[in-house]
Amino acid sequence: MERTFVMVKPDGVQRGLVGEIIARLERKGLKLVALKMVRVSEELARRHYAAHEGKPFFPGLIRFITSAPVVAMVWEGREAVAVVRNLLGPTDGAKAAPGTIRGDLANDIGFNLVHGSDSVESARREIDLWFRQDELLDWENHREAWLYDRG
Ligand code: GTP
Ligand code: MG
């Protein structure tokens, strides 16, 4: 089953939205396989957002991500990467449609509450960057029998 990396950003932690964000992913049927709260170092922030190095918003982005704790998670499910990106909505909360996490709860392009990997390849890279192998739990979620029609 596909895995994706999700992070509740400092604004989500500060605004008390960790539970709400986790609840939405759980209700969709995704399976939580790793979770930890992290005070992000400058080095980890730079490695996570390496693709954006050199862009005008990069210094502010690094300042933001290191400014308060985040909640780092790995979620698993069928097409988990795309499913999470759809639940998040587009980057700018002010433009995101209602019904999405950002559309319902965020109002800014930078302070957009939550990160989700943008491809299976990014997910692999980010999971490796944020978690040790023994922090990823393999467990059977009995709910899945009623979630996916396996014929
Ligand atoms: P992530 O899930 O956080 O990666 O968001 P995304 O994939 O929707 O956006 P992208 O990877 O393009 O940008 C990464 C993060 O940089 C965004 O989530 C924003 O927090 C920030 N960001 C992107 N573009 C801008 C911008 O134009 N201005 C500002 N201030 N921040 C931006
Ligand atoms: Mg991104």
Side-chain angles (χ1 to χ4, degrees):
M1 205 66 98
E2 195 168 291
R3 287 179 170 180
T4 190
F5 174 70
V6 177
M7 164 183 43
V8 180
K9 299 183 185 185
D11 54 335
V13 174
Q14 291 287 349
R15 290 178 56 202
L17 292 171
V18 174
E20 165 83 24
I21 290 163
I22 289 176
R24 285 178 180 231
L25 301 179
E26 281 186 319
R27 290 209 306 262
K28 182 68 173 169
L30 291 156
K31 180 167 85 175
L32 184 60
V33 297
L35 177 146
K36 61 183 170 188
M37 198 168 194
V38 182
R39 186 66 198 245
V40 183
S41 67
E42 165 125 9
E43 193 207 336
L44 177 57
R46 286 177 168 279
R47 287 175 70 190
H48 175 77
Y49 279 125
H52 298 293
E53 197 151 6
K55 294 185 186 167
F57 61 82
F58 186 75
L61 179 58
I62 299 305
R63 224 178 305 124
F64 167 52
I65 290 297
T66 57
S67 64
V70 304
V71 174
M73 298 174 275
V74 178
W75 290 85
E76 189 178 291
R78 191 181 281 176
E79 295 190 64
V81 169
V83 166
V84 167
R85 293 283 288 186
N86 281 336
L87 288 176
L88 298 192
T91 311
D92 188 348
K95 298 194 173 82
T100 64
I101 292 172
R102 287 167 173 163
D104 286 345
L105 305 170
N107 295 283
D108 191 79
I109 192 167
F111 288 11
N112 58 7
L113 295 174
V114 47
H115 162 84
S117 307
D118 61 13
S119 66
V120 173
E121 195 187 11
S122 303
R124 234 177 261 127
R125 185 186 76 86
E126 292 167 1
I127 292 167
D128 275 358
L129 182 61
W130 288 80
F131 287 95
R132 295 190 317 266
Q133 200 56 39
D134 67 356
E135 292 177 309
L136 305 169
L137 302 193
D138 251 322
W139 60 286
E140 192 183 349
N141 185 346
H142 296 277
R143 201 172 51 171
E144 279 177 11
W146 293 97
L147 189 64
Y148 303 117
D149 183 354
R150 290 171 167 142

